[in-house]
Amino acid sequence: MTECLSDIRQWMVKNFMKLSDDKTEYLIIYSPQMRNKIVSMDFQVGDVSVSPADSVRNLGVYFDQSMRMDRHVSQVCQTAYFQLRSIAAIRPLLTRTAAESIIHSLITSRLDFCNSILAGLPSATLNRLEAVQNAAARLLTGLRKYDHITTVVAELHWLPIKNRIDFKILLLTFKAIHGLAPGCLSSLIERWQPRPCRRSSGLTLQLP
């Protein structure tokens, strides 16, 4: 790893860029079964000794050691609730259309950002994001905290969090198949080809 970073540093110097030693982090990702077998170690980045972190941020997404995404979900919820409280302070001054636009800009966009990486997470984790969306729907429609929200969300045509994740993945897959996605994604998709039909496949089973 140290040799790899040294090569990166040299490449960056040649291209008039700088590697920030004190901002460098690294993460060891492992399954629960491998927890006791992992040996963490420090390595040098220039003059800085870097230790493994519990979680790191990359392009706005927090990754943790077990890839449970708890840190990321907590960060999204914290930021979204802060924005909801700010919107609630001015909600009486807003029309419904204006309020919905603000909610989509500040809340829905956060729920949808890189949400495809949340596929397969436990329902308990996704339910925390669902609670944020429900709170946004209550704020928009004026419902109280314990009023039934499922039908209201359906009337707003807001997909549940799990369905939003599935939709994002299906949309990316569609684009990759039809050449509308970056080449690095399209290259990962292989079209399924059915096996050649045998003569016996067209025969009808006759029962006595």
Side-chain angles (χ1 to χ4, degrees):
M1 182 67 73
T2 302
E3 293 176 356
C4 179
L5 285 170
S6 177
D7 292 340
I8 293 174
R9 182 190 300 279
Q10 294 177 13
W11 180 88
M12 294 181 72
V13 170
K14 291 180 180 179
N15 289 273
F16 306 100
M17 293 185 289
K18 179 182 178 181
L19 178 65
S20 299
D21 301 341
D22 56 340
K23 294 182 179 180
T24 303
E25 298 177 295
Y26 90 94
L27 179 71
I28 301 176
I29 299 175
Y30 50 80
S31 64
Q33 294 78 11
M34 295 295 294
R35 177 185 295 272
N36 297 327
K37 299 181 181 180
I38 296 297
V39 178
S40 61
M41 61 185 68
D42 299 349
F43 64 88
Q44 290 294 125
V45 182
D47 297 328
V48 179
S49 178
V50 181
S51 302
D54 294 331
S55 64
V56 297
R57 184 180 182 183
N58 184 33
L59 299 177
V61 178
Y62 287 91
F63 296 91
D64 53 64
Q65 293 176 326
S66 59
M67 291 298 290
R68 293 176 57 87
M69 307 306 293
D70 290 332
R71 171 75 188 281
H72 177 70
V73 171
S74 296
Q75 190 67 31
V76 171
C77 291
Q78 180 181 350
T79 304
Y81 281 126
F82 174 81
Q83 297 289 359
L84 281 174
R85 288 191 293 269
S86 299
I87 298 172
I90 61 172
R91 178 64 182 91
L93 306 176
L94 301 173
T95 64
R96 175 162 173 159
T97 302
E100 187 169 6
S101 297
I102 294 175
I103 286 173
H104 285 320
S105 298
L106 300 178
I107 308 302
T108 307
S109 61
R110 296 183 186 278
L111 297 177
D112 289 342
F113 178 71
C114 290
N115 62 348
S116 56
I117 64 174
L118 305 179
L121 290 183
S123 297
T125 302
L126 298 182
N127 287 343
R128 298 173 60 192
L129 299 174
E130 193 80 43
V132 172
Q133 182 172 262
N134 291 343
R138 289 190 173 91
L139 176 60
L140 176 63
T141 59
L143 289 181
R144 295 173 299 179
K145 182 176 181 179
Y146 296 103
D147 288 340
H148 192 62
I149 194 65
T150 304
T151 56
V152 174
V153 173
E155 291 173 359
L156 291 171
H157 302 288
W158 294 2
L159 288 174
I161 294 299
K162 185 179 184 304
N163 297 115
R164 301 179 84 93
I165 294 171
D166 293 339
F167 176 79
K168 175 68 73 62
I169 295 174
L170 292 172
L171 180 61
L172 287 174
T173 303
F174 176 86
K175 289 183 176 181
I177 291 174
H178 292 86
L180 302 174
C184 59
L185 292 179
S186 299
S187 63
L188 299 176
I189 301 295
E190 294 184 5
R191 288 181 176 271
W192 178 77
Q193 297 292 338
R195 295 180 180 179
C197 295
R198 300 178 180 177
R199 291 182 179 180
S200 58
S201 62
L203 299 179
T204 303
L205 180 61
Q206 298 293 333
L207 297 177

